[in-house]
Structure formats: structure tokens, C-alpha cells
Amino acid sequence: MQRQPLADYEFWFVVGSQFLYGKETLDQVAAHAQIMVQRMNASGLLPCKLVYKATVKTPEEIEQCVKEANYNDACAGLITWMHTFSPSKMWIRGLEILQKPYCHLHTQFNRTIPDTEIDMDFMNLNQSAHGDREHAFIAARMHTKRKIITGFWEDEPVLAKLGSWMRSAVGAIESRKLKVVRFGDNMRNVAVTEGDKVGVQMQLGWQVNTWGVGDLIRELESVTEAEVDAQMQGYQSRYEFATKDLETVRYQAREQVAMRRFLQREGAYAYTNTFEDLQQMRQLPGLASQDLMAEGYGYGGEGDWKVSAMTSLVKRMTEGMDGGTTFMEDYTYHLEKGNELSLGAHMLEICPSITTEKAKIEVHELGIGGKEPPARLVFEGHQGSAILASLVDMGGRVRLIVNEIEVVKPIYRMPNLPVARVMWKPQPDLNQASHLWMLAGGAHHAVLSYDATAEMLEDWCEIMGIEFVHINNQTTVSSMKQQLFLADLAWKLQ
């Protein structure tokens, strides 16, 4: 099953008004809306197409528009704007049945007040300042989840926020369709990789199911040499071979072909495995999993289906951006006073989308699992601002924890460390960030993304109706304790 490209999603621009103002004014409203849509699409800042859908003037028109949006698979959300005054009781039924993400754009067609031309005709047409307040009230009164963006519609910060929210909205749509394949079960006795799969499917839409490793082995046995040759050609075009052990690399290619086939047949874009459950497989998939992540699949080590799903969704939300997103794990620290850093890595499975160098294929012993030395990609993550995101099951609800970080060039060469690696400074600093992360229950597995932002993931959480915890330079231990205490109370009341 092929995914719909992110750019093929559309968002409907729905403008509120009423018949009170007459045909001439309503024609102007529609003309202005079409100009706005054309220019916003031409800005290059929106990842999806904005479509002027209608100027709605009655409860019936609003309800019909929402019904059409709900059942149109190409529509990923509604963006509303009140050019004139639109009495908000008209919107109640529409908002009651709305199932798509919803953004309220508070702007106006004209940037400035025309000093000598302004008259009552102008005032009747340009009523966004109070028309949008009326619209916002009914959404607040109904506790309707929505994103509010304010500012002039042609300004870059406004368009950037709108573009970011579009990505969050697509993430919400894709979340409802996401399937996760678990090859085997979780690593034994690990707590954070567990979770309520039924509850998550009800809330986030994820279908998380398990297949025996024997099913994957049968798929492996059916892979042809021609398929392996084609996968090897892909490796040769993308990576540097720093090994002569081509048979080991070919086995990884065979694993990748088999896993891709399996995932495509099931319509899944995320998967897990664990080194404790490989049965007759000769190697833990390393290079195979890394290259599958580069194709857009989500991965979670040790059976961690939550981080696998989040990796897939963040990759989906940031489609078309070039910073990179990967599965990640905090591995060890550099605790030099005043220059504290975290070294992130994993046994094998870090996505090469986060490097600007040509990754090297190497073969080394794994040290655990008792299998043959696997081939893997070795590289450094590039420098830049990024986020770490961890979705955890708190019992009855899930929580997404996001920490803003700054990735730095590793301060050591580490020539004997045969894995991909990333080094970063978390906000506010390593000691505080670790304290805050652990207070919130953050996992040792996370998604690292240079493209997603805290705001993008917060918007996704709001659409999905889950808890969001943000760690940045302004976060303190005392504020975090208070936030978590109040959140526990609030979520228990829901």
C-alpha cells in the first residue's frame, strides 16, 4: 500500500459571513479569499495545497461543508476565517460533527487602515477584528480543539506557523491509519517498551500487531538473488563500502527485502524487533533497518512499538524537509564541568537521514545476542537544532515528552566505536534536562528530529487529545513538578 504524498493533501479555507451584507459584499469576500489562497499557495511556505472551499452564510451551509470535509480523504483539515461578522450560533452543528483538524486563522485582508478611503462600506466588509472573536468564542464554549494563528496572512511567520500546523494535521490523519508490525515480542523485563495497545488504537489509531519471527524467516527464504543484487546496487549508490565482507552485507540486503515485502503486504510503515528473539536469523538487522528508516519506515529496538510509530509519524510530518529524523537512544555522557554532553547511539539502528556525510558500511561483532557480526552504517549526525521526543504510557493515558537540544560535532573521534553516533547539549543543560526527563517518565528510546519542532508536536498532541510535556531553557524542576501534578489531576477528571 503506497502512502499518499504529503503534498497531495489539501486544506479547505472556509470563510464565514452572513446574508445580511448583500450580494456585492459577499462577492468581494469570495474574491478576497481567492486572492489570499492564491498568494499563500505561491509563497512556498505551505507543504500542502490550500483550497478556497466556500463562503458559508447559514448553519446548513456550514454543516454541509463539514460533512464533505469529514468524508473527503484528500482533505486533511479546515482553516476558518471570518472576513465579516458570522454569528457563531450558526457554527454549532458544524463544529459538533467536525472530525478533521481545525485551525482558526485570525487575520484581515488589508494590512493597514486606508486613512482617506475608510467609510462604513469598508467597515461592513472588513470585520475580522470582531468577527473572529465571535467565532473563537463558540469554539471555546464548545471546548473544540483547534489551532489559533494570528497575524497578517502574507507575513512569513504566519505562513510558517500555518505550514507547521498543516504537517501536524497530516500527522493526525496518518496516525489514524498507521499499522505497526512487531517481529516477535519485547525485550524481556523492560518496562517502558510495554503499553496498552488497545487504548492506543482507540486514542491514536495505531494498529499494533505481532507476527512470529518464523513468519519473517519464511519471507527471507523466498528472497531471490536478483532482489538481493538490486538492493546491493542501492547500497553502492548511497554508501561507502568500508568492508570486503560482501556476503555479510548481502545478508542484510536479503533481510531488508524481506522486511520491506512483509511491511508492504500488511500496509505497515513501522516495525520492531529484538536481539533476544531472532530464531534462525543469522544477523540482527542493522544496515537493513537503517536503510528502511531512510525510506520512511519507523523502527523501534527491543520491541518498542511506541517509538517505532512515533518515528514513522515524525518522518511523515516532516516529509520534504532535509534535516533528518531517526530512532535514538541516550547511551553515555560526557560530564566535563560546563560542557556536559550526551552521546546518542544504538547497537546498530540509527537512520542515515541525519548525516551530511556519506555513511560507511562496516562489519563488526555486536557483543550481545549470539549471532553473526552484522553489517551496519557508521556516521556522525550533523550539527544543528533538534528535538528529542518520547511517547510513554502513563496508565490510562499517553504522554509525549519533547526536549529541545543542540546537536554538536562529537568532541572525540571514537575510532573503536563501530556505530552511528550523535552528540548533543539538551536544554536547559544536561543535568537539568536529565532530571526533568526522568521526572516526566521519559524513555531511554526517543525520536530525534532536526525538522520537527516542539510546536509541531504540541499541535499534533492537541489534535490527538494527549498530554504534552515540553522541556526547554525556561523549564525548571519546580515548574515541572507542578505541571505534572496538575496534569495528573486534570487527566483523571476527563
Side-chain angles (χ1 to χ4, degrees):
M1 184 181 71
Q2 292 296 316
R3 274 176 162 173
Q4 175 178 334
L6 183 140
D8 285 355
Y9 278 106
E10 60 187 38
F11 288 81
W12 290 2
F13 192 51
V14 180
V15 182
S17 189
Q18 57 180 319
F19 280 116
L20 175 67
Y21 306 109
K23 185 178 184 302
E24 183 179 350
T25 295
L26 291 174
D27 287 346
Q28 285 183 283
V29 168
H32 287 173
Q34 289 166 343
I35 290 170
M36 291 170 67
V37 164
Q38 188 275 324
R39 291 184 187 172
M40 286 192 280
N41 281 329
S43 71
L45 295 171
L46 302 184
C48 305
K49 185 179 180 181
L50 188 59
V51 175
Y52 168 63
K53 186 62 179 176
T55 298
V56 290
K57 305 166 290 295
T58 67
E60 293 75 19
E61 289 180 355
I62 295 167
E63 181 179 353
Q64 183 59 34
C65 182
V66 170
K67 285 179 178 178
E68 290 176 16
N70 285 343
Y71 290 97
N72 187 311
D73 290 339
C75 176
L78 295 188
I79 299 169
T80 62
W81 169 56
M82 307 302 115
H83 194 330
T84 64
F85 193 78
S86 177
S88 63
K89 286 170 65 177
M90 297 195 306
W91 288 82
I92 291 175
R93 177 59 182 155
L95 293 179
E96 280 179 338
I97 64 172
L98 179 62
Q99 297 172 359
K100 293 291 179 75
Y102 162 37
C103 174
H104 180 187
L105 177 62
H106 177 45
T107 188
Q108 63 183 26
F109 180 72
N110 54 299
R111 183 185 288 275
T112 60
I113 297 171
D115 181 24
T116 58
E117 291 84 11
I118 188 169
D119 55 20
M120 285 312 300
D121 288 338
F122 180 93
M123 296 287 275
N124 283 332
L125 174 63
N126 297 281
Q127 299 188 56
S128 300
H130 67 282
D132 276 328
R133 282 170 166 77
E134 167 74 1
H135 184 68
F137 165 75
I138 201 63
R141 175 69 175 81
M142 296 174 65
H143 302 285
T144 303
K145 291 176 289 192
R146 84 279 198 204
K147 174 75 170 179
I148 299 174
I149 298 175
T150 64
F152 188 59
W153 55 274
E154 283 192 291
D155 285 348
E156 184 173 329
V158 171
L159 290 165
K161 274 185 177 290
L162 186 59
S164 175
W165 176 81
M166 284 181 169
R167 293 180 179 277
S168 306
V170 170
I173 300 297
E174 292 288 335
S175 183
R176 298 293 181 193
K177 302 187 285 188
L178 184 64
K179 295 181 180 180
V180 183
V181 168
R182 300 170 71 230
F183 292 119
D185 205 345
N186 295 16
M187 183 177 173
R188 290 183 284 276
N189 295 315
V190 177
V192 79
T193 56
E194 298 288 351
D196 180 356
K197 293 188 282 292
V198 173
V200 162
Q201 185 167 346
M202 291 168 62
Q203 187 160 31
L204 302 181
W206 303 350
Q207 299 177 49
V208 184
N209 289 293
T210 303
W211 279 261
V213 176
D215 296 323
L216 179 57
I217 290 172
R218 282 190 290 275
E219 199 74 47
L220 268 170
E221 292 170 346
S222 72
V223 175
T224 67
E225 291 303 311
E227 288 175 305
V228 174
D229 290 342
Q231 187 63 56
M232 288 290 287
Q233 288 176 4
Y235 293 160
Q236 289 164 351
S237 69
R238 292 187 293 276
Y239 309 123
E240 177 183 340
F241 278 67
T243 179
K244 295 181 180 179
D245 187 356
L246 296 186
E247 181 54 37
T248 292
V249 181
R250 286 183 68 83
Y251 189 77
Q252 289 286 322
R254 186 177 300 276
E255 289 181 319
Q256 182 169 350
V257 171
M259 289 191 293
R260 186 194 296 114
R261 259 201 221 161
F262 202 111
L263 295 169
Q264 288 178 344
R265 185 169 62 244
E266 297 301 327
Y269 279 90
Y271 72 100
T272 70
N273 58 24
T274 174
F275 64 90
E276 287 184 335
D277 190 4
L278 294 176
Q279 304 297 323
Q280 286 76 44
M281 292 175 67
R282 288 164 42 195
Q283 301 172 28
L284 176 66
L287 167 60
S289 288
Q290 291 175 290
D291 201 51
L292 278 174
M293 276 193 282
E295 293 178 15
Y297 289 94
Y299 172 79
E302 290 88 60
D304 192 342
W305 50 270
K306 296 187 295 299
V307 77
S308 174
M310 283 306 303
T311 303
S312 176
L313 286 175
V314 174
K315 281 179 172 290
R316 186 68 164 124
M317 284 187 260
T318 57
E319 188 178 302
M321 304 175 80
D322 58 9
T325 294
T326 183
F327 164 71
M328 184 53 65
E329 179 172 277
D330 291 83
Y331 235 88
T332 192
Y333 295 142
H334 174 75
L335 294 177
E336 175 190 357
K337 191 172 183 179
N339 189 34
E340 293 86 355
L341 301 166
S342 182
L343 178 65
H346 202 251
M347 294 182 294
L348 299 172
E349 310 94 347
I350 304 300
C351 179
S353 65
I354 66 166
T355 187
T356 54
E357 63 191 48
K358 196 167 189 177
K360 296 179 180 179
I361 298 177
E362 300 182 11
V363 177
H364 301 277
E365 291 282 351
L366 187 58
I368 58 175
K371 296 292 182 177
E372 295 177 7
R376 80 289 304 274
L377 295 171
V378 179
F379 56 85
E380 292 180 356
H382 67 83
Q383 301 177 67
S385 298
I387 56 98
L388 285 174
S390 172
L391 188 88
V392 292
D393 189 322
M394 299 305 295
R397 74 180 195 274
V398 291
R399 168 186 291 163
L400 185 68
I401 304 153
V402 172
N403 189 188
E404 297 189 46
I405 65 173
E406 188 68 26
V407 179
V408 301
K409 182 172 177 57
I411 60 175
Y412 300 111
R413 287 184 54 246
M414 297 174 280
N416 296 314
L417 181 64
V419 293
R421 74 291 302 267
V422 186
M423 189 169 275
W424 66 79
K425 291 183 177 183
Q427 294 184 13
D429 58 61
L430 178 61
N431 292 328
Q432 285 279 91
S434 300
H435 191 162
L436 295 162
W437 188 268
M438 290 188 284
L439 271 178
H444 60 284
H445 291 158
V447 181
L448 186 150
S449 179
Y450 294 82
D451 295 322
T453 63
E455 183 176 13
M456 187 187 297
L457 295 184
E458 183 177 11
D459 288 342
W460 178 80
C461 287
E462 187 163 5
I463 295 168
M464 304 309 298
I466 67 172
E467 183 182 0
F468 176 79
V469 173
H470 186 192
I471 301 171
N472 61 13
N473 281 326
Q474 285 70 52
T475 315
T476 65
V477 171
S478 59
S479 68
M480 177 64 75
K481 287 180 177 179
Q482 183 179 40
Q483 177 186 346
L484 296 176
F485 172 73
L486 294 175
D488 280 340
L489 292 177
W491 284 95
K492 286 174 183 175
L493 292 173
Q494 290 191 10

